[in-house]
């Protein structure tokens, strides 16, 4: 249920509505838009007496949210959310590119990738220190040492970092280092981890599960929002279909669809979505043209020697060339970068 406050509502009126919602055992979520202030009352809606709420001072309307993803829906918040990452805003119209290696392998590897990423116009550095691998015998990432490398390169190059959290036990550690906590496709429905990530304030990059529907992605975002963290960026990274020529099938339609259903920013990962280096540039451009708020792209100084996902990583020259094209398409569709 959402409570829309009158333009003339005072701070005291707002406090009264919040108190009433809390007394019902529900959780108030406040969205202060330019036009109006809305308070979401989340929890067991049967507790709500609509007439009583309508009678409170400062209340203009009480409207049920029909979508199951309440706080993530455009019904709750019609204005798009821009997630702030160290001054860089994801979701404010500009195309934000995140780039870096799949996995952190060494200081030199991350530094070289970061310098190229920054020079080419990327705004965030990616790199996994904890890697979710299908095989328990595959390289699992450098762990804490990898986080240290990312933090050092952040200092030297000046790009914020996005890195994956694999377990609810690591949320505190990852949030100590990361500017954005990545929730990978395999963990999209790790609800206890989502709750824990929702209880801290670092921005989150929530990747779509490879077998998850759009609604399931939004419900996972809802877990984070419902716990108080509103800084969620969604990521389409391809879904598993019958097609075997690509690692996944990039659901480009998900971009405009999500943008219509939710106020949260949406980015696309053309690396995992395709699994093929030569498909990254065209799919990146398609994503920008379809309205994506950004891209997350795997790059490596020497992709053929990469310990993880080298065949879907661009080398540094290829990335710089792609960024020129991304800028052209961004401008063509009325965006900036
Ligand atoms: C990654 O970004 O390196 C990754 C593992 O992605 P996904 O969770 O989308 O497979
Ligand atoms: Mn990868």
């Amino acid at each position: 249920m959402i409570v829309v406050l009158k333009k003339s509502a005072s701070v005291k009126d707002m406090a009264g509505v919040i108190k009433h919602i809390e007394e019902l055992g529900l959780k108030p979520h406040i969205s202060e838009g330019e036009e109006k202030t809305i308070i979401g009352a989340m929890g067991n809606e049967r507790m709500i007496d609509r007439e009583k709420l309508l009678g409170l001072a400062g209340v203009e309307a009480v409207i049920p949210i029909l979508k199951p993803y309440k706080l993530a829906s455009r019904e709750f918040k019609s204005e798009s959310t821009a997630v702030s990452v160290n001054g860089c805003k994801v979701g404010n119209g500009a195309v934000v590119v995140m780039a870096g290696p799949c996995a952190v392998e060494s200081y030199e590897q991350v530094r070289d990738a970061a310098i190229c990423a920054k020079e080419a116009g990327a705004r965030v550095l990616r790199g996994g220190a904890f890697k979710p691998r299908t095989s328990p015998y595959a390289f699992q990432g450098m762990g804490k040492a990898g986080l240290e490398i990312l933090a050092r390169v952040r200092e030297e190059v000046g790009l914020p970092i996005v890195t994956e959290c694999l377990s609810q036990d690591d949320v505190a550690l990852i949030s100590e280092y990361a500017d954005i906590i990545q929730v990978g496709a395999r963990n999209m429905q790790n609800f206890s981890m989502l709750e824990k990530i929702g209880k801290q304030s670092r921005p989150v990059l929530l990747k779509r599960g490879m077998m998850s529907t759009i609604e399931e992605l939004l419900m996972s975002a809802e877990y984070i929002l419902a716990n108080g963290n509103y800084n969620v960026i969604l990521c389409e990274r391809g879904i598993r279909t019958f097609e075997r020529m690509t690692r996944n099938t990039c659901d480009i339609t998900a971009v405009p669809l999500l943008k219509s259903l939710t106020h949260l920013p949406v980015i696309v990962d053309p690396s995992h979505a395709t699994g093929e280096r030569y498909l990254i540039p065209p799919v990146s451009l398609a994503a920008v043209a379809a309205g994506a708020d950004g891209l997350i792209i795997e790059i490596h100084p020497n992709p053929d020697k990469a310990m993880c996902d080298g065949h879907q990583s661009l080398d540094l020259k290829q990335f710089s060339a792609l960024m020129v094209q991304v800028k052209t398409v961004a401008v063509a569709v009325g965006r900036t970068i």
Side-chain angles (χ1 to χ4, degrees):
M1 202 71 89
I2 53 177
V3 181
V4 183
L5 296 187
K6 287 183 184 151
K7 262 202 163 143
S8 59
S10 66
V11 176
K12 199 170 154 226
D13 293 342
M14 187 159 138
V17 174
I18 291 171
K19 188 163 168 264
H20 179 80
I21 292 170
E22 284 174 342
E23 277 169 5
L24 296 174
L26 303 175
K27 196 168 170 182
H29 291 267
I30 300 144
S31 160
E32 278 182 271
E34 271 173 32
E35 288 293 306
K36 48 190 160 190
T37 297
I38 285 171
I39 304 176
M42 302 302 152
N44 185 356
E45 291 199 348
R46 271 175 298 182
M47 301 302 294
I48 298 174
D49 178 344
R50 214 162 148 251
E51 295 305 315
K52 212 170 194 179
L53 257 177
L54 266 172
L56 296 180
V59 173
E60 182 176 286
V62 177
I63 308 164
I65 304 179
L66 300 175
K67 299 277 188 339
Y69 42 89
K70 311 279 177 195
L71 299 168
S73 73
R74 284 234 187 234
E75 288 169 65
F76 174 62
K77 184 169 182 276
S78 59
E79 290 158 41
S80 294
T81 291
V83 173
S84 259
V85 183
N86 289 10
C88 161
K89 282 201 182 328
V90 186
N92 75 344
V95 177
V96 174
V97 179
M98 310 181 186
C102 176
V104 174
E105 297 167 14
S106 69
Y107 161 70
E108 290 77 13
Q109 171 234 22
V110 178
R111 179 202 57 200
D112 291 356
I115 290 171
C116 160
K118 184 158 188 199
E119 276 176 5
R123 306 288 301 277
V124 178
L125 172 67
R126 66 149 286 151
F130 294 86
K131 294 304 303 175
R133 304 305 301 276
T134 303
S135 165
Y137 309 118
F139 174 56
Q140 304 287 315
M142 290 180 73
K144 192 162 181 231
L147 297 177
E148 295 283 354
I149 290 173
L150 287 169
R152 179 174 167 197
V153 174
R154 169 177 49 203
E155 285 306 306
E156 290 174 3
V157 180
L159 284 179
I161 54 184
V162 55
T163 195
E164 183 164 353
C165 182
L166 279 189
S167 152
Q168 58 171 322
D169 299 336
D170 292 338
V171 174
L173 175 71
I174 302 289
S175 64
E176 201 182 302
Y177 285 87
D179 299 288
I180 306 175
I181 301 179
Q182 179 173 325
V183 177
R186 291 155 191 82
N187 267 312
M188 190 203 84
Q189 289 190 313
N190 182 342
F191 300 119
S192 46
M193 187 170 100
L194 297 178
E195 281 177 348
K196 212 156 170 191
I197 285 176
K199 289 194 167 83
Q200 56 84 59
S201 60
R202 285 261 181 246
V204 185
L205 177 65
L206 177 64
K207 299 187 88 174
R208 180 179 181 182
M210 59 191 84
M211 278 153 317
S212 302
T213 63
I214 302 267
E215 185 164 301
E216 285 164 343
L217 171 61
L218 291 168
M219 293 309 290
S220 290
E222 190 76 12
Y223 265 90
I224 302 170
L225 303 177
N227 280 282
N229 186 349
Y230 304 125
N231 299 310
V232 179
I233 302 162
L234 303 174
C235 180
E236 164 60 39
R237 48 75 73 207
I239 48 173
R240 187 170 281 185
T241 67
F242 51 80
E243 183 52 65
R244 304 267 36 100
M245 290 229 182
T246 49
R247 183 174 177 184
N248 292 288
T249 297
C250 186
D251 183 6
I252 284 285
T253 313
V255 176
L257 183 51
L258 280 166
K259 295 288 298 173
S260 76
L261 298 173
T262 178
H263 53 86
L264 298 172
V266 180
I267 71 167
V268 170
D269 173 347
S271 301
H272 293 87
T274 64
E276 297 289 343
R277 193 174 303 159
Y278 79 98
L279 293 175
I280 295 172
V283 172
S284 299
L285 302 181
V288 173
D293 293 294
L295 299 165
I296 181 164
I297 301 175
E298 291 187 333
I299 65 171
H300 195 288
N302 189 351
D304 294 330
K305 292 266 161 63
M307 293 174 82
C308 189
D309 284 352
H311 52 280
Q312 63 179 41
S313 301
L314 297 179
D315 70 25
L316 306 186
K317 254 175 95 179
Q318 289 166 330
F319 177 69
S320 303
L322 170 58
M323 285 299 280
V324 175
Q325 293 182 296
V326 167
K327 281 175 201 160
T328 306
V329 172
V331 170
V333 293
R335 313 275 301 280
T336 54
I337 178 160

